[in-house]
Amino acid sequence: MTESVKNKKLPLWGKIAIAAAAAVLLVFAALGISVSSFDKSGRICKNVTVGGNDIGGMKRDDAEKILRAWARSRMNEAVTLTALDTKWSGALADFGVDIKWRKTLENAYAMGRTGSFGDKVKRIFSGENKLEVVTAVDKGKVFPILNKAAREVNSDSKDAGIKIVDGSITITQEELGKSLNKEKSIEAIEKGIKEGKNLIPLVINTDKPKVMAKDLKDITTRLSTYTTRYNPGKVARTHNVMLAAKAVNGKVLMPGDTFSYNGTVGPRDAAHGYKDAPIFVSGNIEPGMGGGICQVSTTLYNTALLADMKIVERYPHQRVVDYAPAGLDATVAYGSRDFRFTNNRKHPVAIVTRMGGGSITVEIYGAYADKRAVKVFTGPKSYGKSGGRKVINDPTLPAGKEVVETRGTRGCYVTSYKVVDGGSQQVVAHNTYPALDTVVRVGTKVEPKPEPKTEAKASPKPASKPAAEPESAEESE
């Protein structure tokens, strides 16, 4: 039985499989010999190119000479960085670029010598072995150039808006914001160098504005308007009113947006162009930075009421102002008290301000479908007790002299209302103006008493001397 199995012939397919396996073993043996032989050869894989230089099959020392010379030449080549319409040209070294030719050579020599057996075989017998140049960028050198480029490129996005020209509504186009992406620009420089480019565009990000011109096509109608008057002779105050009105002018609110007066006007300080003018401090009138801007917030408040906007935040002054009825003013203080309202319509609205002739007018424009007939008024005022008398000693005034610094007021309470489209009366706000003291400066300066007059005794006349000896006469006196 055993003998018969031994003498049994293999089928044809078995013989073919054995032959194929033997052939495979022979191939792997041959490849193994080739890989081992290549590893000991000290040469670089065939068909290896670096930065356009063919160093395939070269000895390491020969390839080193070529890469070193090429890197030196490449570092001195002129390269131009571009950002929009601006260009910066210089050698690669000027931009902080360093070609790491030694590391690149190591990577070239490692091809066919590292990795799996399959990777080695693939590299050794590949028809093309393109190798990426190793580079590094010194940020300390390139950042000053990128900062300069950023100053040329960077710009904030600008929302579309409206302006009134000869009584007609004109829509102003939006503008894309732009900013130089420094980190991505460094990557672009490195990539351009590796690809052998001499013209390298820097990376610029764009910022799409929130409001586009197409969003404003439904703004066709004036929803409300309100005017208050000021004294143009008060130059500093008028200047402040003009700055605040300019900041508000053209502001667009999309449906659901909330307008912030402080957020729109910003800090009221000299750095933003504001000047000293009278303001209320604890109910007293004192010089202060940005005095007058509450007239703009008050005018806007009334305009928002008449457009039936949703009032989110508003405060009355500590005393009744002279440019708006009691109960219809709106005070602001940067960092603490704001005036805010929300666009509660289905379409965008825009704010327009106008100044001149001692008056400021604020208008709100929107879609015709959003127009409402609104009446705003106040109820009867109720008054409380008058404020007391506050005395401040003033050493600059003569003793006993009095000067009224601020006149006090009685406490006042008034409710404001509105009626929309002939509907029921709605309470807008309950307004309380506290009683304020009259502030009086009383002089404490004491005038010095005049010293008593004393008669001077007459000196005895000197004896007559010859005219030729006057000095002797003075000395003897």
Side-chain angles (χ1 to χ4, degrees):
M1 183 72 177
T2 304
E3 188 66 26
S4 62
V5 172
K6 287 182 179 180
N7 294 332
K8 188 176 180 180
K9 294 182 179 180
L10 288 172
L12 180 60
W13 64 265
K15 294 179 180 180
I16 294 174
I18 292 174
V24 169
L25 290 174
L26 289 173
V27 169
F28 270 93
L31 291 175
I33 294 171
S34 297
V35 168
S36 177
S37 176
F38 168 75
D39 191 29
K40 296 175 182 178
S41 69
R43 294 181 179 274
I44 293 173
C45 279
K46 292 181 179 181
N47 304 316
V48 174
T49 58
V50 177
N53 299 285
D54 185 0
I55 58 174
M58 289 186 177
K59 285 284 189 180
R60 181 168 182 157
D61 291 346
D62 295 334
E64 177 179 328
K65 294 176 183 178
I66 290 176
L67 288 185
R68 183 172 58 230
W70 169 78
R72 185 182 298 114
S73 174
R74 180 68 171 133
M75 290 287 291
N76 291 323
E77 286 184 17
V79 173
T80 299
L81 308 180
T82 65
L84 299 180
D85 297 329
T86 309
K87 298 179 180 180
W88 295 267
S89 297
L92 285 182
D94 297 334
F95 296 135
V97 178
D98 183 18
I99 296 177
K100 302 290 186 181
W101 64 268
R102 287 188 176 85
K103 180 60 178 176
T104 303
L105 177 63
E106 290 177 9
N107 292 345
Y109 191 77
M111 295 177 72
R113 291 182 171 85
T114 58
S116 66
F117 180 78
D119 291 335
K120 294 177 181 179
V121 170
K122 180 180 178 181
R123 289 297 185 187
I124 293 171
F125 294 99
S126 174
E128 181 180 5
N129 285 311
K130 190 174 182 180
L131 184 65
E132 191 175 77
V133 179
V134 179
T135 62
V137 176
D138 183 349
K139 292 184 178 180
K141 288 186 177 181
V142 75
F143 264 13
I145 298 170
L146 295 182
N147 289 337
K148 185 176 180 180
R151 288 192 292 270
E152 297 286 338
V153 170
N154 292 2
S155 63
D156 294 332
S157 64
K158 186 177 180 180
D159 289 342
I162 73 165
K163 60 181 181 179
I164 308 302
V165 180
D166 297 330
S168 299
I169 299 173
T170 300
I171 296 176
T172 59
Q173 292 293 317
E174 71 278 357
E175 294 179 11
L176 288 175
K178 304 178 191 67
S179 61
L180 186 76
N181 189 320
K182 296 178 185 178
E183 294 297 334
K184 291 292 183 182
S185 291
I186 291 176
E187 293 177 10
I189 293 172
E190 290 185 293
K191 182 179 179 182
I193 300 309
K194 291 173 182 178
E195 294 176 353
K197 295 180 179 179
N198 287 352
L199 186 65
I200 302 174
L202 301 179
V203 180
I204 299 174
N205 296 336
T206 56
D207 179 26
K208 184 179 178 182
K210 181 181 178 181
V211 181
M212 311 293 283
K214 61 183 178 61
D215 299 327
L216 308 183
K217 58 182 177 60
D218 292 324
I219 296 182
T220 60
T221 306
R222 187 174 71 182
L223 303 183
S224 63
T225 179
Y226 195 82
T227 299
T228 59
R229 300 196 63 80
Y230 60 89
N231 181 358
K234 297 179 179 179
V235 179
R237 187 181 187 280
T238 300
H239 172 81
N240 294 338
V241 172
M242 178 195 67
L243 284 184
K246 185 178 179 181
V248 172
N249 186 43
K251 184 70 175 180
V252 173
L253 301 179
M254 300 301 288
D257 281 356
T258 296
F259 172 89
S260 165
Y261 189 85
N262 284 340
T264 302
V265 175
R268 277 73 86 174
D269 52 32
H272 290 80
Y274 287 93
K275 299 181 179 181
D276 277 337
I279 61 174
F280 288 154
V281 178
S282 300
N284 300 319
I285 300 175
E286 299 179 6
M289 188 65 69
I293 65 162
C294 287
Q295 182 161 356
V296 181
S297 58
T298 292
T299 311
L300 179 57
Y301 171 55
N302 283 272
T303 311
L305 286 176
L306 291 169
D308 197 29
M309 295 286 109
K310 180 182 178 182
I311 307 302
V312 177
E313 182 179 0
R314 169 262 174 185
Y315 305 92
H317 287 79
Q318 289 186 313
R319 63 165 62 219
V320 177
V321 297
D322 58 4
Y323 48 79
L328 294 179
D329 59 317
T331 187
V332 289
Y334 192 77
S336 58
R337 294 191 168 191
D338 199 1
F339 167 56
R340 297 186 297 139
F341 68 90
T342 298
N343 175 17
N344 52 0
R345 298 293 191 271
K346 295 180 179 180
H347 305 89
V349 297
I351 304 169
V352 174
T353 62
R354 298 198 313 272
M355 280 186 67
S359 68
I360 172 173
T361 297
V362 178
E363 300 169 319
I364 293 180
Y365 287 82
Y368 179 77
D370 292 334
K371 187 171 179 60
R372 302 284 185 270
V374 182
K375 293 182 179 180
V376 176
F377 54 95
T378 59
K381 303 178 185 66
S382 59
Y383 292 94
K385 295 181 179 180
S386 297
R389 174 184 168 91
K390 182 179 179 181
V391 175
I392 300 176
N393 292 328
D394 189 342
T396 65
L397 291 177
K401 183 174 181 178
E402 294 187 1
V403 175
V404 177
E405 182 77 15
T406 306
R407 295 196 177 278
T409 61
R410 297 171 62 189
C412 177
Y413 176 85
V414 61
T415 301
S416 52
Y417 304 90
K418 70 176 179 179
V419 174
V420 180
D421 289 337
S424 58
Q425 181 173 290
Q426 305 173 41
V427 172
V428 173
H430 299 290
N431 308 275
T432 299
Y433 301 88
L436 298 174
D437 295 337
T438 295
V439 179
V440 179
R441 289 190 291 119
V442 177
T444 59
K445 182 178 181 181
V446 177
E447 298 292 343
K449 294 181 179 179
E451 295 184 5
K453 293 182 180 181
T454 57
E455 294 184 4
K457 295 182 179 179
S459 300
K461 292 182 180 181
S464 297
K465 296 288 182 181
E469 302 177 359
E471 292 183 359
S472 298
E474 289 180 357
E475 290 174 355
S476 65
E477 186 173 328

Tab-separated table of all heavy atoms in Angstrom, residues 226-250:
chain	number	residue	atom	x	y	z
A	226	TYR	N	-37.561	111.549	13.635
A	226	TYR	CA	-37.672	112.376	14.836
A	226	TYR	C	-36.536	113.386	14.810
A	226	TYR	O	-35.413	113.083	14.383
A	226	TYR	CB	-37.596	111.525	16.102
A	226	TYR	CG	-38.050	112.248	17.351
A	226	TYR	CD1	-39.402	112.359	17.661
A	226	TYR	CD2	-37.122	112.826	18.220
A	226	TYR	CE1	-39.826	113.022	18.804
A	226	TYR	CE2	-37.538	113.487	19.370
A	226	TYR	CZ	-38.897	113.589	19.649
A	226	TYR	OH	-39.313	114.251	20.784
A	227	THR	N	-36.832	114.603	15.278
A	227	THR	CA	-35.858	115.687	15.248
A	227	THR	C	-35.752	116.352	16.623
A	227	THR	O	-36.770	116.555	17.290
A	227	THR	CB	-36.252	116.752	14.204
A	227	THR	OG1	-36.293	116.146	12.908
A	227	THR	CG2	-35.264	117.906	14.183
A	228	THR	N	-34.539	116.661	17.039
A	228	THR	CA	-34.306	117.459	18.239
A	228	THR	C	-33.376	118.616	17.861
A	228	THR	O	-32.650	118.549	16.864
A	228	THR	CB	-33.652	116.636	19.370
A	228	THR	OG1	-32.393	116.109	18.915
A	228	THR	CG2	-34.549	115.487	19.792
A	229	ARG	N	-33.371	119.653	18.684
A	229	ARG	CA	-32.578	120.836	18.390
A	229	ARG	C	-31.430	120.986	19.382
A	229	ARG	O	-31.521	120.525	20.533
A	229	ARG	CB	-33.460	122.090	18.387
A	229	ARG	CG	-34.590	122.037	17.351
A	229	ARG	CD	-35.176	123.412	17.112
A	229	ARG	NE	-34.195	124.340	16.540
A	229	ARG	CZ	-33.866	124.369	15.245
A	229	ARG	NH1	-34.431	123.531	14.385
A	229	ARG	NH2	-32.980	125.248	14.807
A	230	TYR	N	-30.357	121.613	18.911
A	230	TYR	CA	-29.195	121.883	19.760
A	230	TYR	C	-28.680	123.290	19.450
A	230	TYR	O	-29.086	123.914	18.456
A	230	TYR	CB	-28.086	120.848	19.507
A	230	TYR	CG	-27.576	120.829	18.081
A	230	TYR	CD1	-26.527	121.648	17.670
A	230	TYR	CD2	-28.155	119.983	17.135
A	230	TYR	CE1	-26.062	121.645	16.367
A	230	TYR	CE2	-27.700	119.970	15.826
A	230	TYR	CZ	-26.654	120.793	15.452
A	230	TYR	OH	-26.205	120.790	14.155
A	231	ASN	N	-27.802	123.766	20.323
A	231	ASN	CA	-27.217	125.095	20.152
A	231	ASN	C	-25.876	124.956	19.436
A	231	ASN	O	-24.893	124.516	20.034
A	231	ASN	CB	-27.020	125.763	21.506
A	231	ASN	CG	-26.442	127.167	21.381
A	231	ASN	OD1	-26.148	127.636	20.283
A	231	ASN	ND2	-26.279	127.845	22.518
A	232	PRO	N	-25.802	125.314	18.142
A	232	PRO	CA	-24.534	125.150	17.411
A	232	PRO	C	-23.431	126.046	17.948
A	232	PRO	O	-22.255	125.830	17.627
A	232	PRO	CB	-24.911	125.527	15.970
A	232	PRO	CG	-26.138	126.352	16.081
A	232	PRO	CD	-26.868	125.871	17.282
A	233	GLY	N	-23.795	127.052	18.759
A	233	GLY	CA	-22.787	127.916	19.355
A	233	GLY	C	-21.934	127.190	20.380
A	233	GLY	O	-20.817	127.628	20.688
A	234	LYS	N	-22.440	126.087	20.921
A	234	LYS	CA	-21.649	125.262	21.842
A	234	LYS	C	-20.815	124.309	20.994
A	234	LYS	O	-21.222	123.182	20.694
A	234	LYS	CB	-22.562	124.510	22.805
A	234	LYS	CG	-23.371	125.446	23.710
A	234	LYS	CD	-24.282	124.660	24.636
A	234	LYS	CE	-25.071	125.597	25.567
A	234	LYS	NZ	-25.980	124.853	26.466
A	235	VAL	N	-19.649	124.785	20.600
A	235	VAL	CA	-18.855	124.128	19.559
A	235	VAL	C	-18.435	122.716	19.947
A	235	VAL	O	-18.568	121.778	19.157
A	235	VAL	CB	-17.614	124.985	19.218
A	235	VAL	CG1	-16.766	124.288	18.161
A	235	VAL	CG2	-18.053	126.356	18.729
A	236	ALA	N	-17.906	122.547	21.161
A	236	ALA	CA	-17.420	121.223	21.573
A	236	ALA	C	-18.573	120.220	21.636
A	236	ALA	O	-18.447	119.078	21.178
A	236	ALA	CB	-16.724	121.312	22.930
A	237	ARG	N	-19.689	120.647	22.187
A	237	ARG	CA	-20.852	119.755	22.283
A	237	ARG	C	-21.361	119.387	20.895
A	237	ARG	O	-21.679	118.221	20.621
A	237	ARG	CB	-21.958	120.415	23.101
A	237	ARG	CG	-23.137	119.504	23.391
A	237	ARG	CD	-24.220	120.215	24.190
A	237	ARG	NE	-25.267	119.298	24.609
A	237	ARG	CZ	-26.255	118.881	23.823
A	237	ARG	NH1	-26.322	119.314	22.567
A	237	ARG	NH2	-27.162	118.048	24.281
A	238	THR	N	-21.444	120.375	20.009
A	238	THR	CA	-21.904	120.114	18.643
A	238	THR	C	-20.978	119.124	17.938
A	238	THR	O	-21.432	118.233	17.204
A	238	THR	CB	-21.972	121.430	17.846
A	238	THR	OG1	-22.890	122.310	18.487
A	238	THR	CG2	-22.426	121.196	16.417
A	239	HIS	N	-19.684	119.268	18.177
A	239	HIS	CA	-18.707	118.343	17.593
A	239	HIS	C	-18.971	116.904	18.054
A	239	HIS	O	-18.943	115.966	17.250
A	239	HIS	CB	-17.297	118.775	18.004
A	239	HIS	CG	-16.228	117.801	17.628
A	239	HIS	ND1	-15.677	117.737	16.366
A	239	HIS	CD2	-15.609	116.831	18.366
A	239	HIS	CE1	-14.772	116.775	16.338
A	239	HIS	NE2	-14.707	116.214	17.533
A	240	ASN	N	-19.254	116.729	19.342
A	240	ASN	CA	-19.522	115.394	19.876
A	240	ASN	C	-20.807	114.808	19.288
A	240	ASN	O	-20.867	113.612	18.967
A	240	ASN	CB	-19.626	115.442	21.396
A	240	ASN	CG	-18.308	115.795	22.054
A	240	ASN	OD1	-17.241	115.620	21.477
A	240	ASN	ND2	-18.376	116.318	23.270
A	241	VAL	N	-21.829	115.639	19.177
A	241	VAL	CA	-23.090	115.181	18.585
A	241	VAL	C	-22.857	114.719	17.145
A	241	VAL	O	-23.358	113.681	16.710
A	241	VAL	CB	-24.153	116.313	18.621
A	241	VAL	CG1	-25.396	115.908	17.832
A	241	VAL	CG2	-24.530	116.627	20.068
A	242	MET	N	-22.047	115.469	16.414
A	242	MET	CA	-21.767	115.128	15.022
A	242	MET	C	-21.037	113.779	14.916
A	242	MET	O	-21.374	112.933	14.073
A	242	MET	CB	-20.910	116.216	14.384
A	242	MET	CG	-20.514	115.937	12.940
A	242	MET	SD	-19.175	117.016	12.380
A	242	MET	CE	-17.810	116.443	13.399
A	243	LEU	N	-20.042	113.543	15.790
A	243	LEU	CA	-19.308	112.273	15.753
A	243	LEU	C	-20.225	111.089	16.032
A	243	LEU	O	-20.162	110.053	15.346
A	243	LEU	CB	-18.169	112.294	16.773
A	243	LEU	CG	-16.918	113.104	16.432
A	243	LEU	CD1	-15.872	112.908	17.516
A	243	LEU	CD2	-16.351	112.688	15.086
A	244	ALA	N	-21.075	111.214	17.048
A	244	ALA	CA	-21.980	110.114	17.398
A	244	ALA	C	-22.996	109.876	16.286
A	244	ALA	O	-23.299	108.722	15.936
A	244	ALA	CB	-22.686	110.425	18.712
A	245	ALA	N	-23.533	110.956	15.717
A	245	ALA	CA	-24.501	110.811	14.633
A	245	ALA	C	-23.875	110.142	13.419
A	245	ALA	O	-24.505	109.312	12.745
A	245	ALA	CB	-25.063	112.182	14.251
A	246	LYS	N	-22.618	110.469	13.146
A	246	LYS	CA	-21.913	109.862	12.015
A	246	LYS	C	-21.708	108.369	12.224
A	246	LYS	O	-21.802	107.572	11.285
A	246	LYS	CB	-20.561	110.553	11.823
A	246	LYS	CG	-19.787	110.083	10.615
A	246	LYS	CD	-18.478	110.855	10.470
A	246	LYS	CE	-17.691	110.367	9.252
A	246	LYS	NZ	-16.392	111.105	9.120
A	247	ALA	N	-21.426	107.967	13.462
A	247	ALA	CA	-21.221	106.540	13.760
A	247	ALA	C	-22.501	105.739	13.565
A	247	ALA	O	-22.475	104.580	13.144
A	247	ALA	CB	-20.707	106.380	15.191
A	248	VAL	N	-23.636	106.356	13.869
A	248	VAL	CA	-24.931	105.666	13.763
A	248	VAL	C	-25.433	105.642	12.324
A	248	VAL	O	-26.111	104.695	11.892
A	248	VAL	CB	-25.965	106.356	14.682
A	248	VAL	CG1	-27.361	105.803	14.455
A	248	VAL	CG2	-25.558	106.199	16.147
A	249	ASN	N	-25.072	106.654	11.550
A	249	ASN	CA	-25.610	106.815	10.198
A	249	ASN	C	-25.282	105.607	9.312
A	249	ASN	O	-24.145	105.149	9.247
A	249	ASN	CB	-25.012	108.075	9.564
A	249	ASN	CG	-25.632	108.379	8.207
A	249	ASN	OD1	-26.840	108.284	8.039
A	249	ASN	ND2	-24.802	108.741	7.238
A	250	GLY	N	-26.314	105.090	8.625
A	250	GLY	CA	-26.137	103.987	7.698
A	250	GLY	C	-26.168	102.610	8.320
A	250	GLY	O	-26.038	101.594	7.613
